[in-house]
Amino acid sequence: MKILYGTTNPSKIKWMKKMLEGLDIELLTLNDVKLQLGTIDESGNKPLENARIKALAYYKAAKIPVFSCDSGLYIEGLNEEEQPGVHVRRIHGKTLNDEEMIEYYSGISRSLGGKAIARYRNAICLVIDEKQIFEYDGEKIASEKYIIAAKPHKNRDEGFPLNSLSVHIESGKYYMDIKTPIKEDENEANAYKEFFMKALKRQTEYKVQ
């Protein structure tokens, strides 16, 4: 099945292709199709709300199965009003570029003692058609807790600037220095595969009926 992934972010595309390896899915991206679509107003306050807004907008424009994902960042030690949540890049009304994000979040880490504990809560919305919409934002696709470091790694991952600040809690290593797959990464990949497998199975059963 051809499914459109609603993003142009090269790092996200690479990551999702890896997540879906082994499934009978041909992943298309916004770079592969031409859509007459303006800026999408991601006005949701939670990751699932924004994932749904984007997926429905892209489906209406493309008229093929499409999914979108969204994430919210939550940092221990910050009160609710200070949490980045779904506005990871937009701070005080300004959309930060990669380097500005690294500077901002390393500053938060310093204010919390140099080792801020953080976690992403993720959501996905898959729209097959108007009647078949599948969503998930549970624990299975939430990230494990990790450390946001005060000192950035020397390397950068375009589109994922906070990877330069992300440190694995158990090993104390920057994720960018870990070459072998980490168990929690494998668990997250399996969760995404499970989501698509269940959705496509239900979609097939719907067609049969």
Side-chain angles (χ1 to χ4, degrees):
M1 172 182 277
K2 291 184 178 181
I3 301 181
L4 175 64
Y5 181 17
T7 187
T8 57
N9 186 307
S11 294
K12 290 182 178 180
I13 293 168
K14 180 181 178 180
W15 183 84
M16 186 58 71
K17 285 183 176 180
K18 184 178 180 181
M19 294 301 102
L20 301 183
E21 282 180 358
L23 297 186
D24 188 20
I25 292 176
E26 180 181 347
L27 194 66
L28 304 176
T29 72
L30 297 179
N31 298 321
D32 301 316
V33 297
K34 294 182 179 180
L35 299 180
Q36 298 297 321
L37 189 67
T39 302
I40 297 175
D41 180 17
E42 297 179 42
S43 55
N45 292 316
K46 295 182 178 180
L48 184 55
E49 294 174 2
N50 279 336
R52 185 186 304 127
I53 289 170
K54 291 186 289 185
L56 289 171
Y58 289 127
Y59 175 76
K60 289 177 182 178
K63 299 300 182 184
I64 61 173
V66 57
F67 73 92
S68 286
C69 300
D70 206 74
S71 299
L73 177 62
Y74 299 88
I75 302 172
E76 294 182 6
L78 299 183
N79 61 43
E80 187 174 349
E81 292 74 23
E82 294 173 320
Q83 293 292 351
V86 297
H87 306 293
V88 180
R89 275 192 182 269
R90 191 163 182 80
I91 305 298
H92 306 309
K94 178 184 178 182
T95 300
L96 306 184
N97 61 34
D98 284 7
E99 288 302 318
E100 289 171 335
M101 282 184 68
I102 291 171
E103 181 180 354
Y104 177 78
Y105 285 100
S106 63
I108 287 181
S109 179
R110 287 192 295 273
S111 72
L112 294 173
K115 290 185 177 181
I117 305 300
R119 188 184 196 192
Y120 284 100
R121 293 197 173 275
N122 303 314
I124 183 170
C125 178
L126 168 64
V127 179
I128 301 295
D129 56 37
E130 291 87 347
K131 295 182 178 180
Q132 298 182 89
I133 299 174
F134 305 95
E135 301 176 336
Y136 184 68
D137 64 347
E139 289 293 320
K140 289 184 178 180
I141 60 171
S143 77
E144 295 291 321
K145 291 183 178 181
Y146 69 99
I147 295 170
I148 295 179
K151 181 181 178 180
H153 194 282
K154 63 180 181 179
N155 294 333
R156 299 291 184 265
D157 188 359
E158 183 182 357
F160 283 110
L162 295 191
N163 283 359
S164 297
L165 296 173
S166 301
V167 174
H168 186 237
I169 289 179
E170 291 185 10
S171 68
K173 294 181 178 180
Y174 285 89
Y175 280 89
M176 300 189 82
D177 290 331
I178 299 175
K179 305 302 182 184
T180 56
I182 300 172
K183 183 178 180 181
E184 48 261 35
D185 290 338
E186 295 176 354
N187 291 340
E188 189 175 350
N190 290 334
Y192 276 99
K193 285 184 178 180
E194 180 182 349
F195 169 83
F196 278 96
M197 289 170 65
K198 286 183 176 180
L200 296 180
K201 183 175 184 294
R202 288 171 60 189
Q203 186 258 348
T204 301
E205 292 171 349
Y206 176 85
K207 281 187 174 181
V208 171
Q209 293 174 359

